[in-house]
Amino acid sequence: MPIGARTVSRAGMQPGPAARPLEPGLVAALRGVVGHDGVITDPGRLMVYESDGLTAYRVRPTAVVLPTDTAQVAAVLRLLTEAGVPFVPRGAGTGLSGGALALEGAVLLSLARMNRILAIDAANRRARVQPGVVNAKLSRAAAPHGLYYAPDPSSQAACTIGGNVAENAGGPHCLKYGVTSNHILGLTVVLPDGEILELGGAGETAGYDLVGLFVGSEGTFGVATEIEVRLEAAPEAVETILALFDRMDDASRAVSAIIADGLLPAALEMVDREGIRAVEASPYAAGFPTDVAAALVIEFDGPRAGLLEEADRAREICRAEGAREVRRANDEAERVRFWNARKKVFGAMGHLAPDLLVQDAVVPRSRLPEVLARIYEIADRYGLLVSNTFHAGDGNLHPLFLFDRRDEDQVRRVEAASKEVMHACVEAGGTITGEHGVGFDKREYMGLIFSDEAMAVMCDIRRVFDPRGLANPAKILPLRACREWAGPATWIEEAP
Amino acid sequence: MTAVLDRLRGIPGLHLSPGDEGPLVHGVAPAAVAAPETAAAAAEALRVASAKRWAVELDHGGSPLRLAGRPPERIDLVLTSTRLRALDDYAPADLTASVGAGATLGALAERFGAHGQWLPLDPPGSPDTTIGATVDAAAAGPLRLGFGTPRDHVLGLEIVTGDGRLLQFGGRVVKNVAGYDVVKLVIGSRGTLGLVTRVNVRLRPRPAADRTLTIAVASPDIAVELLKRIRARRVEPAALELHALPADPPGAARRWVVLARLLGAAAAVDEQARAVEQAAAELGASFETTADAPRLWARLAHDEARATVAVRVADLPSEIPSTLGLVQAALPAIEAAGGRWTIQAHLGNGIVRLLGAPDTTHPSAAAESHPTSSPLPSSLMRDWRPLADAIRSARAALAPRRGTVVVAAAPAPLLAEVDPYGPVAGHTLMRRIKAQFDPAGILAAGRFAV
Ligand SMILES: Cc1cc2nc3c(=O)[nH]c(=O)nc-3n(C[C@H](O)[C@H](O)[C@H](O)COP(=O)(O)OP(=O)(O)OC[C@H]3O[C@@H](n4cnc5c(N)ncnc54)[C@H](O)[C@@H]3O)c2cc1C
């Protein structure tokens, strides 16, 4: 059955229609692979798996399967493929695009039990991990070697490396160090039919960069069961600045000016007035003035020599652009306070409204001032409260709408405003997602940036990995993009 | 054939020239060379070629095709991006640019340099090689240690598929996860998926100071120890190369030098240079600041691109002594069979290159010393088997750790003895992907790993 507003809706109060339960024979066979408690079918226990971080969509999976290693994943996928049952990989479920929704009667393949760090090779600055390892845990484990894992999504205390690989996740420090894709050296992948592939590795790959292609494929090519990552040397020194602005426009011009000046901060993040107020009303309050329009958290890292000069240049630029005040973190405690003003916004906002919708889009950095102005204008016009706390240095916006999903009119306005924001970002030369992925939520925006032909090529590529259409169905590509795609049953095997 | 040529001649914006004016691929001349001025013209040309099942090679200027891949059986058409050179779309304030595939890295460097920016890529053949050739081969040089390879710099691209579809993937912004990362798929695909016509790149601020130290070391082991000590002092060089200089006099022991390139703020580079010098001194190695370093790096890149044989042996960086050991152990037999050989290593990346050039002191080579007007230097070696044997045994030795041995350039006689790529994981998937981009199978068929 095609997916549409009937099965899951944005308002999403009602879970989708109960999917048909799995055949008892299949359940028994799955238990034969992963053990009795490795398969969850009890409806009460399935409830926590109904949604990811985008809670507006809810669908109860037919079952959850919890394998512990690559061989088990392969055996599980063989059984599901034989039975023609779709599957959806799931890490920590912090995704914000509905990527881990179990649509079309899918079984959720939870990687929660595959949470071991397999090796840290300090000499070669690499680590090999299972996909369920939590991002922050990897950096903690690498710290005694003077190393860390650079991509640092704000959700890093919960999200998994497998989920990061699937979404090609970013984070504040990706401005200087690059996103997940720049840090993945090799993958063990199980294809939907159970075939195990070792991609990448120690040498130079001949042929196509399948590691690069797999990263960001959002679970639609198969399951990453082991991941080899690059670790970075911890920087010798860090300089962190907090700049407070009375006008949003000045703050965003300061961002552009810092980039255009040739400075390369490790992170350059913006928090707006609503964000600061929310944090100041939370346990993380640090006494920052709540009457400013925006704050920038700017961090430089690297060799100590020359670092202070770079930071000073950024401070001067902020002042020249009209900053009311520019502070420098004098110690680690102060640095953490600056960062809390950025990192705790999302959580703090949760107390201000029953529901939040965080959007994700990217614009060229020089267009930030006008696009931000446009976003506030759109929110105003729809009578909505919006907060912009985001990765400014990358031009990666995260407009956060506050609303109450019980109010249908508000829901409609949030949706309309969101859509206008997407259009505005694309018109400014940007893209529809910088790190949260397309998932289920943004499929219909794909046509804003890709031609039908380009999307058809993506369908073709997907079919190469997953000829039967069983891996995370109904994600990424809009329904109309894949000509032959009217549901799993009609997927074409392979072009003759 | 003439009917098809007439059809190509009728395509607006497509410059057609006779094949003997085109690049030779393993000495094989194409029937014709087509240079589109627009992506649309390239698309039309490939539609025609696909319909007629012409054998097509995609070229981005310079000589990268000369000895790359397996020799073609025949070439009907070379389609080249050399007329797609536009550098017009450059946004200094965003540190991004969108450039024609035929633009040379040198021309780009000049343009970006005027704004204090650069694209930190120094592949073999740079600065004369083009961005298209660099993307096509995922080619990177010493700066890969500090800045990565083309996959870390390319934000988006435009490609004409084998059957003439003009497609855009990625974009102009520095973060983008919409849809599959087809950009990564295309980078390094060797013209087997389509002609890259435009490339969007991310630029970096050009560091204020740029210094290269030359350190003479007694052995590769000392070089690895030097790397450890440099890192222990928290110095992260942008490039760290280990080169074996040819034995002088012949038969004497080879001399080894490490080249360390330091980039950053002036004060930081001063301090790092001191740290590297201290580490070198501790190991009893002599060192000096390299005079005219830009010329040195350019010469090395030039020489590597001109090599008649280039074999790349890659493993974990910590295995460099054993990787070099494999190469060195095989060298006497290889040298005895002919040619002049140099060894270079990306020390921090674990990649060793064995480069062969005709031994000009040997009489049979003299006739072949004009590489552009090739006849091919296939007589570089009197016997290719020692090299082929060395490649096979290195492959076997590295396989357990998933290291690789790839023949990046070689004349036909070597390729008759040994497969240039060895086993490729995911090969079946790759073949199916190629079939989606090039359904008629006209692009570099059978020449590369896919
Ligand atoms: C408060 C908050 C802040 C956030 N900040 C950021 C941020 O700064 N940057 C950022 O990029 N994201 C951010 N996110 C989004 C989210 O955390 C990331 O997308 C993260 O990568 C998801 O990881 P996960 O383990 O939760 O994956 P899930 O949500 O469980 O799954 C995400 C997708 O990955 C697939 N998947 C999971 N594991 C595998 C696997 N092993 N193999 C194949 N496919 C798999 C799933 O099928 C799904 O499509 C934030 C989210 C929240 C709630």
Side-chain angles (χ1 to χ4, degrees):
Chain A
M1 189 181 74
I3 294 305
R6 275 171 301 141
T7 27
V8 267
S9 71
R10 183 53 110 158
M13 285 300 285
Q14 72 285 39
R20 218 160 6 103
L22 292 186
E23 299 287 327
L26 180 56
V27 173
L30 290 169
R31 290 206 156 116
V33 175
V34 296
H36 187 84
D37 62 350
V39 179
I40 302 172
T41 53
D42 168 45
R45 290 180 63 202
L46 288 175
M47 230 157 73
V48 291
Y49 295 99
E50 278 180 354
S51 72
D52 63 3
L54 180 55
T55 52
Y57 300 125
R58 288 173 191 276
V59 180
R60 190 168 305 169
T62 47
V64 175
V65 181
L66 295 125
T68 55
D69 60 21
T70 302
Q72 286 194 359
V73 172
V76 166
L77 292 195
R78 270 195 301 274
L79 287 171
L80 293 176
T81 293
E82 265 164 37
V85 174
F87 66 92
V88 178
R90 180 180 166 109
T94 67
L96 291 171
S97 54
L101 276 186
L103 300 168
E104 305 207 343
V107 164
L108 260 191
L109 192 81
S110 166
L111 297 149
R113 289 185 178 176
M114 294 178 65
N115 61 355
R116 280 185 303 133
I117 294 173
L118 301 170
I120 291 186
D121 175 357
N124 291 305
R125 295 181 174 174
R126 316 176 147 228
R128 193 167 179 88
V129 302
Q130 289 189 311
V133 168
V134 168
N135 176 300
K137 193 178 143 197
L138 175 55
S139 279
R140 272 201 302 277
H145 306 280
L147 302 170
Y148 74 109
Y149 178 63
D152 59 341
S154 308
S155 52
Q156 71 184 141
C159 68
T160 65
I161 301 293
N164 295 167
V165 164
E167 300 288 11
N168 192 9
H173 288 83
C174 293
L175 173 58
K176 179 172 174 186
Y177 293 98
V179 293
T180 301
S181 181
N182 306 109
H183 298 267
I184 304 302
L185 302 169
L187 292 172
T188 302
V189 167
V190 182
L191 298 181
D193 65 2
E195 185 186 344
I196 299 168
L197 275 181
E198 294 286 339
L199 304 175
E204 292 189 295
T205 29
Y208 304 150
D209 180 3
L210 294 185
V211 171
L213 183 61
F214 191 93
V215 175
S217 63
E218 302 193 25
T220 63
F221 288 171
V223 185
T225 57
E226 286 189 20
I227 300 160
E228 196 148 338
V229 305
R230 180 202 321 282
L231 300 173
E232 304 287 333
E236 185 184 11
V238 179
E239 281 290 330
T240 311
I241 296 166
L242 182 75
L244 304 170
F245 291 85
D246 288 321
R247 275 177 306 270
M248 175 54 112
D249 225 33
D250 295 346
S252 44
R253 270 190 290 105
V255 171
S256 310
I258 287 168
I259 297 294
D261 190 67
L263 288 169
L264 184 56
L268 175 44
E269 301 279 309
M270 188 184 297
V271 190
D272 71 357
R273 183 194 324 252
E274 310 309 328
I276 293 169
R277 286 188 178 166
V279 174
E280 284 302 315
S282 81
Y284 297 102
F288 297 129
T290 51
D291 63 336
V292 295
L296 296 179
V297 179
I298 311 167
E299 190 157 280
F300 291 88
D301 69 11
R304 191 177 308 281
L307 199 66
L308 193 57
E309 286 76 3
E310 283 183 27
D312 281 345
R313 243 164 82 203
R315 285 156 55 146
E316 271 160 39
I317 292 173
C318 289
R319 280 197 204 95
E321 296 295 344
R324 174 205 292 189
E325 191 188 337
V326 188
R327 303 184 187 176
R328 167 174 181 255
N330 288 308
D331 52 30
E332 183 60 21
E334 193 164 14
R335 174 175 177 247
V336 169
R337 273 199 301 280
F338 287 4
W339 272 110
N340 279 345
R342 160 65 180 94
K343 289 196 173 172
K344 304 299 179 188
V345 168
F346 196 85
M349 283 280 177
H351 299 289
L352 301 186
D355 295 286
L356 301 177
L357 179 83
V358 60
Q359 266 301 0
D360 170 39
V362 190
V363 297
R365 298 169 275 205
S366 60
R367 308 290 293 272
L368 274 177
E370 66 187 272
V371 174
L372 274 172
R374 185 95 189 267
I375 292 173
Y376 289 108
E377 180 270 316
I378 291 168
D380 264 1
R381 191 150 35 79
Y382 284 99
L384 293 166
L385 195 57
V386 70
S387 169
N388 284 288
T389 294
F390 64 102
H391 312 306
D394 289 317
N396 189 179
L397 292 154
H398 284 328
L400 183 69
F401 289 99
L402 284 70
F403 69 107
D404 181 345
R405 70 178 164 197
R406 289 163 302 190
D407 179 341
E408 273 181 34
D409 182 56
Q410 264 194 42
V411 172
R412 247 194 321 276
R413 280 182 282 137
V414 167
E415 279 192 36
S418 259
K419 198 167 178 173
E420 276 196 39
V421 166
M422 276 304 127
H423 279 93
C425 292
V426 172
E427 275 161 31
T431 189
I432 58 167
T433 169
E435 54 180 29
H436 294 170
V438 177
F440 178 67
D441 191 44
K442 286 201 167 151
R443 296 184 310 162
E444 296 307 324
Y445 293 129
M446 285 284 281
L448 291 183
I449 50 168
F450 291 112
S451 66
D452 286 353
E453 259 183 340
M455 284 192 285
V457 166
M458 291 189 195
C459 296
D460 292 339
I461 293 172
R462 178 182 196 151
R463 209 169 283 123
V464 164
F465 284 86
D466 180 26
R468 299 187 59 185
L470 296 176
N472 207 359
K475 306 288 168 63
I476 300 185
L477 293 158
L479 283 176
R480 64 187 166 75
C482 299
R483 285 162 308 233
E484 304 85 351
W485 185 15
T490 55
W491 277 62
I492 285 183
E493 276 294 327
E494 204 186 323
Chain B
M1 170 144 304
T2 37
V4 184
L5 283 176
D6 282 342
R7 269 193 70 186
L8 291 178
R9 219 165 269 126
I11 298 174
L14 192 72
H15 289 256
L16 210 60
S17 45
D20 50 19
E21 288 174 22
L24 294 174
V25 183
H26 286 277
V28 178
V33 180
E37 261 175 9
T38 61
E44 188 56 35
L46 282 174
R47 270 196 292 276
V48 171
S50 259
K52 298 295 169 195
R53 293 272 193 286
W54 271 23
V56 177
E57 289 286 329
L58 302 178
D59 162 70
H60 295 282
S63 55
L65 282 185
R66 192 169 64 98
L67 290 164
R70 303 179 187 99
E73 270 165 31
R74 66 165 219 277
I75 308 173
D76 297 317
L77 183 71
V78 165
L79 191 66
T80 176
S81 71
T82 44
R83 280 173 189 261
L84 297 164
R85 283 188 297 248
L87 325 177
D88 47 315
D89 201 353
Y90 171 30
D94 288 324
L95 281 90
T96 62
S98 174
V99 301
T104 64
L105 296 183
L108 294 176
E110 221 167 274
R111 187 76 203 285
F112 303 149
H115 292 268
Q117 300 176 357
W118 70 327
L119 175 63
L121 278 172
D122 57 350
S126 56
D128 298 328
T129 194
T130 60
I131 185 71
T134 306
V135 166
D136 211 40
L143 284 173
R144 66 193 299 147
L145 181 62
F147 299 96
T149 62
R151 78 199 290 285
D152 302 303
H153 302 283
V154 176
L155 301 173
L157 49 78
E158 182 183 74
I159 181 175
V160 180
T161 60
D163 56 352
R165 284 169 286 165
L166 175 58
L167 305 172
Q168 269 135 17
F169 295 103
R172 282 289 292 268
V173 284
V174 295
K175 269 169 97 179
N176 191 353
V177 298
Y180 300 132
D181 198 343
V182 182
V183 174
K184 298 271 191 313
L185 175 67
V186 171
I187 294 173
S189 63
R190 297 285 186 165
T192 61
L193 299 174
L195 182 73
V196 172
T197 48
R198 188 166 265 283
V199 182
N200 302 345
V201 289
R202 143 182 224 167
L203 306 174
R204 301 224 156 208
R206 173 113 215 175
D210 180 348
R211 191 178 312 169
T212 300
L213 298 178
T214 305
I215 303 143
V217 292
S219 69
D221 292 292
I222 304 277
V224 170
E225 184 57 31
L226 180 67
L227 167 62
K228 262 195 219 139
R229 292 183 185 210
I230 289 176
R231 283 186 167 166
R233 290 177 155 78
R234 315 194 77 151
V235 176
E236 300 291 328
L240 196 65
E241 296 288 293
L242 174 64
H243 288 202
L245 304 178
D248 181 26
R254 276 170 195 277
R255 290 179 305 127
W256 296 90
V257 295
V258 170
L259 300 171
R261 186 168 180 186
L262 305 170
L263 296 172
V269 168
D270 280 344
E271 197 158 288
Q272 291 182 24
R274 269 195 301 279
V276 172
E277 288 168 3
Q278 277 165 14
E282 279 173 16
L283 293 167
S286 64
F287 52 83
E288 60 183 13
T289 296
T290 314
D292 210 358
R295 278 252 310 272
L296 171 70
W297 290 114
R299 186 169 56 74
L300 290 171
H302 176 84
D303 290 352
E304 185 167 355
R306 293 299 290 262
T308 303
V309 177
V311 180
R312 303 174 68 89
V313 188
D315 196 355
L316 293 171
S318 62
E319 302 301 322
I320 274 274
S322 91
T323 311
L324 278 166
L326 282 175
V327 175
Q328 280 181 278
L331 208 52
I334 294 170
E335 284 182 317
R340 196 167 162 278
W341 298 88
T342 51
I343 300 173
Q344 306 183 352
H346 298 310
L347 195 53
N349 304 90
I351 302 166
V352 176
R353 290 101 75 206
L354 176 65
L355 305 175
D359 185 350
T360 39
T361 60
H362 195 275
S364 74
E368 298 186 4
S369 58
H370 308 290
T372 40
S373 66
S374 341
L376 283 178
S378 48
S379 60
L380 167 78
M381 305 191 84
R382 290 174 291 280
D383 179 0
W384 291 88
R385 281 169 304 184
L387 179 55
D389 288 344
I391 290 169
R392 265 190 298 272
S393 56
R395 246 175 219 155
L398 296 183
R401 289 197 303 265
R402 304 190 23 243
T404 53
V405 183
V406 169
V407 181
L414 177 65
L415 302 171
E417 297 284 341
V418 68
D419 182 84
Y421 303 109
V424 177
H427 193 251
T428 316
L429 292 179
M430 293 178 191
R431 304 244 4 134
R432 287 194 212 144
I433 291 172
K434 176 168 167 50
Q436 302 297 340
F437 280 76
D438 175 27
I442 60 166
L443 301 179
R447 295 230 306 117
F448 294 100
V450 191

